[in-house]
Amino acid sequence: MGLFRRKPKHPDLDPSSPVAKQIQEVEVPLKELIQQVSDTLEVVPADGNAYVFLGKPPKKFGVAMIEEGEVQSFVSLAKEKGLNQTQILKLNEKFRDAYEKNMDAERFQANVAGKDIVVTSCQPLAQDVAQIVSSI
């Protein structure tokens, strides 16, 4: 019926893997984000930074960026750049499209600051998100 649907179980992230090392590079700001939100986190590591889907993508979610050791939400960045609500919604659709296009990406489970997170090892998704963010 879907009422008691379980979260998909992903394999544990190998602590010696390159993806784990990317997570370690953003661990301090990631821990700060974990303390600020109660939603599920899905982290997409990139070169020296990471993109975080908060909530339940691709349906209901938010996006945060970890760049240069700082966490910034997509919405706050968009407002800072002067985007209106319609423009923000269009960009949210682009995030959704990028996520859905990469639904088959390899995902792992990791524990950071006592919270289980999903880590998505997907360079195309990271590139798509980076391109959307840079278009703001």
Side-chain angles (χ1 to χ4, degrees):
M1 283 185 14
L3 201 58
F4 298 103
R5 226 183 270 175
R6 293 183 181 180
K7 292 182 192 177
K9 177 72 174 148
H10 304 290
D12 288 336
L13 181 63
D14 178 353
S16 64
S17 71
V19 176
K21 291 185 184 354
Q22 287 180 303
I23 293 296
Q24 290 170 356
E25 290 175 10
V26 296
E27 190 169 7
V28 171
L30 184 57
K31 284 180 179 179
E32 291 172 12
L33 181 60
I34 287 170
Q35 292 171 354
Q36 294 172 11
V37 298
S38 59
D39 278 333
T40 303
L41 301 180
E42 183 169 342
V43 181
V44 182
D47 296 325
N49 57 20
Y51 303 102
V52 184
F53 287 88
L54 302 106
K56 298 177 182 172
K59 302 225 184 269
K60 187 176 180 181
F61 66 95
V63 177
M65 292 79 62
I66 299 175
E67 297 175 331
E68 298 178 16
E70 299 291 323
V71 176
Q72 184 169 28
S73 78
F74 158 69
V75 173
S76 67
L77 175 64
K79 288 181 179 178
E80 188 178 289
K81 298 287 185 174
L83 273 62
N84 63 37
Q85 192 62 30
T86 302
Q87 293 168 312
I88 291 172
L89 290 173
K90 284 181 183 177
L91 289 171
N92 266 337
E93 281 301 313
K94 289 183 179 185
F95 284 127
R96 178 175 284 109
D97 291 345
Y99 187 91
E100 288 177 339
K101 184 172 75 175
N102 294 287
M103 289 287 285
D104 294 335
E106 194 171 23
R107 288 175 169 78
F108 301 95
Q109 183 170 320
N111 190 290
V112 176
K115 181 171 182 155
D116 288 333
I117 63 168
V118 175
V119 178
T120 302
S121 177
C122 183
Q123 195 60 33
L125 178 56
Q127 289 172 339
D128 288 349
V129 174
Q131 185 174 13
I132 295 165
V133 170
S134 69
S135 74
I136 298 175

